[in-house]
Amino acid sequence: MTRPPSGGTMLSLVPAPVESSKDFFGAELQRKQRTHFGRYEIVMTAARGYGVISSFFTYTGPFFGDTHEEIDFEFLGRDTTKVWLNRFVDGQKLPGQWTDLGFDAADGAHTYTLDWLPDRLVWSVDGRELLRVTSAETAIPQIPQRIYLNIWGGGAAQEGWAGEAPDQIRAHAIYHCLSYRPVGADAPMCSDKSEPVHD
C-alpha cells in the first residue's frame, strides 16, 4: 500500500517471494466497524491486467459469526470498460451482472455509488444508474457488513471469469476517496468535494 503522487491510496498486486507458498501478494483495506443501510461512495481508478481483480465491496461471513453476505463492485483487469456487480445473501451467491461502463475504468478516477436499502440495491457511476434490484425480484442483504478495498490475482479457479494472472503480473488500483452515509444521517460524501469525473 502506497500513496500515489496524485493523492489517495494505491493498492498493489505483486509476485510473491520465492519462499512463499502463494503466487501473489495483493493489498487489502478493511473497515473494522460494520456499516448497514445507506449510501456508499468510492472514487477509484481500477487496475488493468489479465487475471487482476480490483474491488470495492461490503462483506460479512462465517469468520465473523454470520452467513456469507456481500455486495460487490469488481473490476476485472482483462476488460476495464465493464464492471462485475454481484451480491451474496444468506450464504447464496446470487446472479452477478457484467455491466458496460461506457468508459475505461483504468484510465482515470470515477465515482461509484452503492445505495443499500432494506428493499433495494442500486449501483451507479458518476450519478448514472447501472443496475437496480428490489426485494420484489430477489433477496436483499440485511446483515451489517464491513467495507473492503482490495486487489488480487485470479488463479485456475477464476480462469473462466477474471482469467488466471501471469506469474510476474504487477498491477495497481488507486482509491481516491471513500464515504458512507447511513439512512437518515447528514454526513459528507465523496461527491460533495468535486463533480463526478468523466472521460
Side-chain angles (χ1 to χ4, degrees), residues 15-150:
V18 292
E19 63 270 18
S20 173
S21 61
K22 298 181 178 294
D23 294 327
F24 312 103
F25 283 169
E28 178 176 276
L29 293 175
Q30 174 193 148
R31 187 177 191 266
K32 289 184 177 180
Q33 184 179 349
R34 295 181 186 227
T35 55
H36 205 195
F37 302 131
R39 169 164 284 205
Y40 298 74
E41 290 184 347
I42 185 79
V43 181
M44 68 176 284
T45 303
R48 196 189 313 276
Y50 189 81
V52 176
I53 303 99
S54 53
S55 61
F56 159 63
F57 62 102
T58 63
Y59 168 81
T60 191
F63 180 81
F64 302 114
D66 297 318
T67 58
H68 184 173
E69 308 275 333
E70 186 173 335
I71 311 168
D72 300 308
F73 272 101
E74 293 182 288
F75 299 87
L76 310 187
R78 65 182 175 86
D79 184 356
T80 47
T81 66
K82 299 179 181 180
V83 63
W84 180 255
L85 306 175
N86 194 31
R87 68 240 184 248
F88 291 73
V89 179
D90 196 24
Q92 180 183 1
K93 182 179 182 179
L94 300 177
Q97 184 162 321
W98 187 226
T99 304
D100 284 307
L101 290 167
F103 56 84
D104 190 330
D107 281 348
H110 290 264
T111 302
Y112 301 91
T113 304
L114 169 67
D115 287 301
W116 175 20
L117 298 168
D119 63 345
R120 64 190 180 275
L121 293 170
V122 183
W123 292 261
S124 305
V125 61
D126 297 335
R128 175 172 54 88
E129 187 173 310
L130 294 171
L131 176 65
R132 175 185 295 254
V133 296
T134 70
S135 56
E137 306 165 298
T138 186
I140 302 296
Q142 300 294 313
I143 299 175
Q145 302 176 33
R146 295 168 186 244
I147 295 172
Y148 286 79
L149 314 175
N150 73 2

